[in-house]
Amino acid sequence: MSDLTRSTAADLAAALAAGTVTSVEVTQQHLDRIAAVDGEIHAYLHVDAEGALATAAEVDRRRDAGESVHDLAGVPIAVKDVLTTTGLPTTCGSKMLEGWVPPYDATVVSRLKAAGLPILGKTNMDEFAMGSSTEHSAYGPTRNPWDTNRIPGGSGGGSAAAVAAFEAPLAVGTDTGGSIRQPGAVTGTVGVKPTYGGVSRYGLVAMASSLDQAGPVTRTVLDAALLHEVMAGHDPRDSTSLDLPVPPVVEAARRADVSGLRVGVIRELAGEGFQPGVRQRFEESIELLAKAGAEIVEVSCPSFAQGLAAYYLVMPSEVSSNLAKFDAMRYGLRVSPQGVDGPSAEQVMAASRDAGFGDEVKRRIILGTYALSSGYYDAYYGSAQKVRTLIARDFEAAFEQVDVLASPTSPAVAWPLGEKLDAPLAMYAQDIATIPATRAGVPGISLPIGLSEGLPVGLQFLAPAMADDRLYNAGAALERFVAERDGSPFAALAPELEVAR
């Protein structure tokens, strides 16, 4: 049997439909791959071999019986450990939720199960999705398959690494300030942040409720579109869910035609602070688009310069509110303070939060609590919300001139593990290009466009709200141009892991 772990999700779906392979075979090969390499990569926090194989066997039975099944039925998937899963632990990468098994599925997970995708397991992440490197997981860092001494991005580095290391053909991530797209850029995978409200947040453990959005992590743009269609759609259980038709993302990915497409290059996101190799790959990609008939227009979005600072006021403020529920009284870790007889509720709460939360989570709670405090609210949180409005207006003005916007996804390639752990501001700056889209709720896609220093570089396209299909059209076209230039699909460039030999 060929190595099915190297196949795209679309190719696996076609082979399953043709009957040339079974879902059990596909799922077992991915479980074997996890067993072979994940000791080094640490993409997964929990692997559910029994559950995945049971789902695969049921899909095979239904196919053999001639029953109608979803196109992706039988294609296995990994899920970020911030989405609730019945019968499987959901820890959010934190000791605060260690061992917690939810009594319900997130809507995204319910839709995956209804479509018949075997869930391989839950992927590692920065604690409560706070970080850009997956080094802030309470259960240890994930490593980048391109260089295991480097970070895989964050907070969703586990999902990106699982896909990049061929431990899953598909994965689900979440994006609050770039946590799907930035890991995609540094691991050479495709990551999509759908329009805010386009995918249900029910069952997604909240970090910043006005920013969080689940989305696909894959190796190709078409695979992302196929997964997007499964995940998306209105959910009455989520008050922020949009009651609108899902954009025709699969059709757009298959069209892949940029002739006449107006592509805006964002002046503020292509210069100072971006590594020379990243800028070079980006400029080469823009040239490929121009040669294919796209119209390239430089646009200015001046408020983007304040986006990073404003984000790191709004997001911690929402973190401070959302994580207040972890009080050792209702659920989560409970620790009794040492040397205290008959401790008060406040003492138990303080001891539990001290033991359960890591340093980065504590840092953001403190910052957010300060920004929301009496006397500082207007100066900090209120001002940051005004910047949010200005960013949205910049997007509106830009999209009057162009169909999509483009920039490098991340200013740098993957950096060595530990390099920025003691420099939080330097770590935060890695989100400078991805934050504006989350502030305005518009969709974005990151895809690999080449290598710098032997490591992947990503380009992101941004589109107006509910015009996600534009991302897939432009992304699939550029993906094809890059493959034609390099002589192979990008995933074929990935180095073989020493531990897998």
Side-chain angles (χ1 to χ4, degrees):
M1 191 189 307
S2 62
D3 185 356
L4 300 173
T5 64
R6 300 281 168 157
S7 299
T8 67
D11 287 345
L12 289 173
L16 287 165
T20 55
V21 297
T22 67
S23 179
V24 168
E25 291 170 338
V26 173
T27 302
Q28 186 62 61
Q29 281 207 18
H30 282 92
L31 290 169
D32 292 344
R33 175 71 176 176
I34 293 167
V37 307
D38 204 57
E40 176 72 10
I41 300 300
H42 192 38
Y44 287 87
L45 292 178
H46 180 82
V47 176
D48 184 25
E50 183 179 349
L53 289 170
T55 299
E58 175 60 15
V59 170
D60 289 339
R61 184 199 66 76
R62 292 181 61 194
R63 272 206 171 93
D64 290 343
E67 297 181 28
S68 177
V69 296
H70 190 277
D71 289 347
L72 283 181
V75 179
I77 189 167
V79 176
K80 187 177 181 180
D81 199 31
V82 73
L83 290 152
T84 58
T85 43
T86 304
L88 294 180
T90 298
T91 71
C92 298
S94 177
K95 292 293 184 182
M96 183 61 78
L97 287 176
E98 186 172 16
W100 182 57
V101 179
Y104 67 101
D105 282 327
T107 294
V108 166
V109 173
S110 295
R111 289 176 176 172
L112 297 176
K113 289 181 175 180
L117 280 72
I119 295 176
L120 295 166
K122 307 293 288 293
T123 57
N124 198 13
M125 57 183 284
D126 284 300
E127 185 179 6
F128 285 104
M130 299 183 210
S132 302
S133 65
T134 317
E135 293 172 289
H136 293 298
S137 169
Y139 305 101
T142 295
R143 296 175 179 272
N144 192 323
W146 286 79
D147 180 344
T148 55
N149 292 313
R150 293 178 181 264
I151 58 97
S155 64
S159 287
V163 171
F166 305 99
E167 296 180 62
L170 302 168
V172 176
T174 62
D175 194 308
T176 304
S179 293
I180 291 174
R181 289 165 290 150
Q182 184 256 7
V186 299
T187 61
T189 52
V190 175
V192 180
K193 185 201 87 68
T195 296
Y196 181 78
V199 174
S200 173
R201 290 189 306 108
Y202 179 79
L204 193 169
V205 180
M207 177 176 83
S209 304
S210 72
L211 303 168
D212 300 339
Q213 185 63 80
V217 179
T218 64
R219 288 192 294 272
T220 71
V221 174
L222 177 58
D223 284 358
L226 292 167
L227 180 54
H228 188 141
E229 276 201 343
V230 175
M231 297 169 60
H234 177 61
D235 179 12
R237 294 178 294 183
D238 174 6
S239 62
T240 62
S241 178
L242 299 173
D243 192 3
L244 296 169
V246 177
V249 293
V250 173
E251 177 187 336
R254 289 187 167 131
R255 184 168 66 250
D257 180 9
V258 295
S259 57
L261 187 75
R262 298 173 300 165
V263 178
V265 175
I266 305 169
R267 185 182 306 157
E268 289 77 11
L269 296 180
E272 186 178 349
F274 288 77
Q275 290 179 347
V278 171
R279 290 202 306 270
Q280 183 178 349
R281 296 289 88 78
F282 175 71
E283 290 164 2
E284 291 169 355
S285 297
I286 295 300
E287 289 178 9
L288 291 175
L289 292 167
K291 288 179 182 178
E295 178 186 350
I296 309 302
V297 181
E298 184 180 65
V299 299
S300 178
C301 297
S303 297
F304 285 16
Q306 285 77 48
L308 187 70
Y311 172 82
Y312 277 99
L313 284 169
V314 171
M315 177 272 295
S317 297
E318 296 192 25
V319 164
S320 172
S321 176
N322 277 325
L323 269 61
K325 60 179 169 282
F326 298 106
D327 57 7
M329 301 296 129
R330 286 165 284 191
Y331 58 87
L333 180 71
R334 176 178 291 185
V335 173
S336 294
Q338 293 184 351
V340 179
D341 293 328
S344 66
E346 289 79 6
Q347 289 172 319
V348 172
M349 185 187 306
S352 299
R353 288 169 70 86
D354 181 48
F357 290 142
D359 289 345
E360 182 62 26
V361 173
K362 292 173 184 174
R363 181 183 293 120
R364 298 194 191 194
I365 289 173
I366 291 169
L367 178 59
T369 302
Y370 181 82
L372 292 174
S373 61
S374 176
Y376 296 100
Y377 180 95
D378 289 336
Y380 293 108
Y381 184 78
S383 296
Q385 289 291 47
K386 291 175 183 176
V387 172
R388 188 177 202 160
T389 300
L390 294 175
I391 289 172
R393 288 176 181 171
D394 278 354
F395 272 117
E396 290 172 6
F399 288 130
E400 289 178 357
Q401 305 174 58
V402 298
D403 301 307
V404 295
L405 294 169
S407 80
T409 310
S410 174
V413 296
W415 59 89
L417 287 160
E419 181 178 274
K420 301 184 192 300
L421 266 180
D422 296 325
L425 294 181
M427 180 104 57
Y428 297 166
Q430 301 307 306
D431 299 333
I432 190 169
T434 52
I435 279 172
T438 63
R439 300 305 312 280
V442 303
I445 185 173
S446 177
L447 67 149
I449 54 171
L451 302 175
S452 174
E453 305 172 27
L455 297 166
V457 174
L459 175 147
Q460 72 167 348
F461 288 115
L462 306 173
M466 293 309 292
D468 304 52
D469 50 310
R470 297 187 194 180
L471 304 176
Y472 287 98
N473 175 51
L478 180 56
E479 179 181 60
R480 186 178 76 245
F481 303 152
V482 170
E484 290 170 352
R485 179 197 67 193
D486 296 342
S488 67
F490 188 83
L493 304 176
E496 181 57 63
L497 293 165
E498 292 290 338
V499 291
R501 289 178 178 170

